[in-house]
Amino acid sequence: MAIKITRNKFRPISRRRFLSTAAGAGIGAIAMPYLSRAADRPLVTHGVQSGDVSSDSGVVWARADRASQMLVEVSTSESFADARALPPIAALPESDFTAKMLLENLPGGQDIFYRVKFRDLAHTGVESEPVVGRFRTAPSDKRDVSFVWGGDVAGQGWGINPDDGGMLTFSTMRKHRPDFLLHSGDTIYADGIISSEVKLADGKIWKNLTIPEKAKVAETLEEYRAAHKYNFLDDNVRAFNAEVPIFVQWDDHEVTNNWSASKELPAAYKERNIALLAPRAARAFHEMYPIRESIVEPGRVYRSISYGPLLDVFVLDERSYRGANGPNLQETYGPDAYFIGPDQMAWLKRSLLSSRATWKVIASDMPLSLIVYDDAANRRGSEAFAQGDGPPRGRELEIADILRFIKTAPIHNTVWLTADVHYAAAHYYNPGKAQFQEFEPFWEFVSGPLHAGTFGPNELDNTFGPEVRFIKAPGEGKQNLPPSEGMQFFGHVKIDGATGQMTVTLRDRADVALWSTTLDPKLG
């Protein structure tokens, strides 16, 4: 098995830089006895992850507890009988000791096993215990494809509660042995405090595992990093990550609630400049997930991932290029109304047009027609695409543009998947009931939260004619329910390799199938 390795972008380390790094890592100028160092082996601190897997490649991620080298062995056998040792890469303080490696030239439709350990920079004979992970490359032929999706983790103060089994939705999803997780954003709640105890409505106490950094809103790079690492403390999450690749995108809570370039930060923030907070958050996000790096635009989130002849996934970024959150009721399209933005829109059109996959899944970090207020208490300001009933205006003009393009190209079998609103729903978009009618009918499915408070339902507008075919939400007077209430949701998609049919099922954390539909592909 020929495997090509693309190294990460860490700079070569000079002798002077090595000595300063070693001192910062506690290595010191005076060598410690070898046996003492052997007893203090490096650690793989937060498990392993894989991501952005295609038919011949995938990204592997891990983090050490000190400056070290990441060593990876790759095999097509669980016994590692045919393992190949790959060239080491650095895990340095600049990246919080994280390292990512892109594996290429892998066989399609094959289970790939990888083994990660870290080697101490000062004592090359001292290595960590290995941690094993696996992923399945995308098929090169039309075999069955299965994946899960959802978003919203550790929100509204509901963290890791060992008494409740931790983040149980990840354990439930893992039992389905999906090919990958499409994470729809709000991977963390950087603006959310996690207290040691929360008193529930029935008088019981919810007990969180806590870390010092989550006692306040995240403002520094270290605090943003810590918010991501907090989730990896959960046994369910680490077990899931070791077996299921992630296709990750971000939304608002990776930075702060409802952020845009004009965001006015609440009193909890000492750092008042969103232009400083957003880059810190973005750096932590890219360090902590096995996301492919863009040479064209470093730090880019939007990308397409080909998962064999039956499926292409188009991951959108609806945060980095948007205009200000506000009334946004202008009739014409301009920078204030950007949500996707011209460059990303042009990329999406080109990518959809060139796709030869049967199904085109558009991963949106926000629903298309659910009204989400920036100022929820006063029902003011548009946080989402939806501007209320009527013809397209403001941000809705981008959706009208892409829907018209999909119809006229023509591009068949598009499905929109999203999360964000903390309940489960299935929306069928019917041009016969819409104010804007220049599109073919399509489905949008909403899932989540994976582990956060449950809310909703939100208002729908009629611009694009969504019909609610299913909804599961707490209802009025039952908002922000804890995970122990069981209203944690994920979506499960199966594509039949023989027929090309797509079955979408919305499930809860107890693995109850709440609603399901099967879609027939349109050919030609």
Side-chain angles (χ1 to χ4, degrees):
M1 176 181 63
I3 300 175
K4 178 182 177 183
I5 306 303
T6 300
R7 294 175 177 267
N8 60 7
K9 296 188 287 185
F10 297 131
R11 299 185 302 275
I13 185 166
S14 67
R15 181 177 182 275
R16 176 177 298 178
R17 183 164 168 238
F18 171 82
L19 291 174
S20 62
T21 299
I27 294 171
I30 301 176
M32 297 174 65
Y34 178 81
L35 291 178
S36 175
R37 291 296 303 167
D40 183 26
R41 303 170 71 179
L43 297 175
V44 179
T45 60
H46 294 83
V48 293
Q49 296 183 89
S50 64
D52 284 12
V53 171
S54 69
S55 60
D56 63 355
S57 63
V59 180
V60 168
W61 174 100
R63 180 182 181 276
D65 65 341
R66 68 194 68 178
S68 54
Q69 289 181 315
M70 184 170 80
L71 309 175
V72 179
E73 294 178 284
V74 180
S75 176
T76 55
S77 168
E78 191 170 8
S79 68
F80 285 88
D82 60 346
R84 290 192 57 182
L86 307 177
I89 59 175
L92 300 177
E94 291 89 334
S95 66
D96 195 35
F97 310 120
T98 65
K100 294 191 282 189
M101 183 181 289
L102 175 62
L103 312 182
E104 295 184 299
N105 295 334
L106 303 176
Q110 175 73 53
D111 284 338
I112 303 297
F113 300 88
Y114 61 94
R115 188 159 53 195
V116 176
K117 57 185 176 180
F118 287 96
R119 174 191 294 159
D120 194 300
L121 283 181
H123 298 271
T124 56
V126 180
E127 298 176 350
S128 71
E129 291 286 346
V131 176
V132 175
R134 65 187 295 174
F135 62 86
R136 184 183 304 121
T137 51
S140 53
D141 57 355
K142 291 186 177 181
R143 72 152 172 83
D144 295 352
V145 173
S146 165
F147 69 93
V148 291
W149 95 91
D152 316 303
V153 180
Q156 292 72 53
W158 310 115
I160 301 167
N161 181 354
D163 294 339
D164 189 53
M167 298 187 182
L168 283 177
T169 308
F170 285 88
S171 177
T172 304
M173 293 190 296
R174 177 176 163 233
K175 294 175 183 176
H176 288 274
R177 296 184 58 82
D179 290 315
F180 60 87
L181 163 67
L182 175 58
H183 201 307
S184 301
D186 289 344
T187 55
I188 60 168
Y189 280 71
D191 55 317
I193 292 172
I194 293 181
S195 303
S196 60
E197 294 185 352
V198 181
K199 187 174 182 179
L200 304 180
D202 60 5
K204 295 180 181 178
I205 302 297
W206 174 280
K207 296 182 179 181
N208 285 315
L209 177 67
T210 61
I211 59 173
E213 294 89 345
K214 288 297 294 178
K216 64 180 291 293
V217 297
E219 299 174 87
T220 68
L221 176 58
E222 289 303 317
E223 289 166 348
Y224 280 112
R225 286 166 168 168
H228 291 282
K229 289 184 287 189
Y230 176 81
N231 294 347
F232 301 151
L233 297 177
D234 183 77
D235 294 340
N236 304 299
V237 171
R238 290 197 312 277
F240 183 90
N241 290 346
E243 294 184 13
V244 183
I246 185 172
F247 298 177
V248 66
Q249 64 191 138
W250 74 343
D251 192 27
D252 57 332
H253 290 284
E254 283 83 0
V255 181
T256 190
N257 185 47
N258 296 350
W259 76 276
S260 68
S262 63
K263 177 69 176 179
E264 294 185 7
L265 295 167
Y269 284 85
K270 295 180 181 179
E271 174 54 69
R272 313 295 298 172
N273 189 352
I274 193 68
L276 289 177
L277 295 179
R280 292 170 185 170
R283 176 171 173 177
F285 175 81
H286 281 270
E287 286 175 346
M288 294 298 163
Y289 295 101
I291 183 173
R292 290 182 190 243
E293 300 297 335
S294 170
I295 297 175
V296 175
E297 181 187 352
R300 176 185 290 181
V301 174
Y302 74 82
R303 63 202 186 281
S304 61
I305 302 169
S306 176
Y307 205 80
L310 292 177
L311 176 65
D312 282 346
V313 180
F314 304 91
V315 179
L316 301 185
D317 177 359
E318 294 160 2
R319 285 289 160 187
S320 301
Y321 313 102
R322 66 164 60 194
N325 291 340
N328 197 38
L329 299 179
Q330 60 269 34
E331 300 297 328
T332 58
Y333 180 64
D336 288 343
Y338 288 172
F339 206 80
I340 295 174
D343 291 339
Q344 186 176 190
M345 183 68 74
W347 161 83
L348 180 59
K349 289 179 180 179
R350 291 193 308 270
S351 300
L352 287 170
L353 197 60
S354 63
S355 173
R356 296 295 176 263
T358 303
W359 292 99
K360 293 89 175 170
V361 165
I362 301 174
S364 174
D365 44 287
M366 299 199 75
L368 300 181
S369 296
L370 289 175
I371 298 173
V372 183
Y373 296 106
D374 191 27
D375 181 359
N378 298 300
R379 298 168 63 84
R380 292 185 308 196
S382 171
E383 154 66 1
F385 285 110
Q387 302 296 310
D389 290 346
R393 57 186 183 269
R395 293 170 176 160
E396 292 173 325
L397 294 171
E398 287 185 327
I399 299 303
D401 183 22
I402 193 61
L403 295 183
R404 183 189 297 112
F405 175 81
I406 288 171
K407 178 180 179 177
T408 58
I411 297 165
H412 302 306
N413 308 322
T414 60
V415 173
W416 294 68
L417 299 182
T418 187
D420 181 66
V421 289
H422 296 239
Y423 64 90
H427 301 146
Y428 181 71
Y429 284 79
N430 184 351
K433 297 188 176 183
Q435 290 287 312
F436 174 83
Q437 298 181 325
E438 298 177 54
F439 65 92
E440 295 293 333
F442 68 96
W443 284 89
E444 173 188 62
F445 299 100
V446 185
S447 75
L450 296 177
H451 189 85
T454 314
F455 293 90
N458 288 59
E459 300 174 43
L460 281 169
D461 77 15
N462 68 0
T463 304
F464 303 111
E467 301 173 3
V468 176
R469 297 294 176 88
F470 170 80
I471 191 168
K472 182 71 171 179
E476 293 187 23
K478 293 185 178 181
Q479 303 295 284
N480 194 17
L481 296 181
S484 54
E485 291 289 330
M487 295 193 73
Q488 308 291 288
F489 308 114
F490 69 97
H492 187 201
V493 176
K494 289 184 177 180
I495 304 176
D496 187 284
T499 66
Q501 291 179 319
M502 174 185 283
T503 300
V504 182
T505 306
L506 296 171
R507 296 178 172 272
D508 65 17
R509 82 170 191 173
D511 211 19
V512 175
L514 305 171
W515 187 85
S516 185
T517 188
T518 298
L519 311 178
D520 291 317
K522 182 177 181 181
L523 305 177

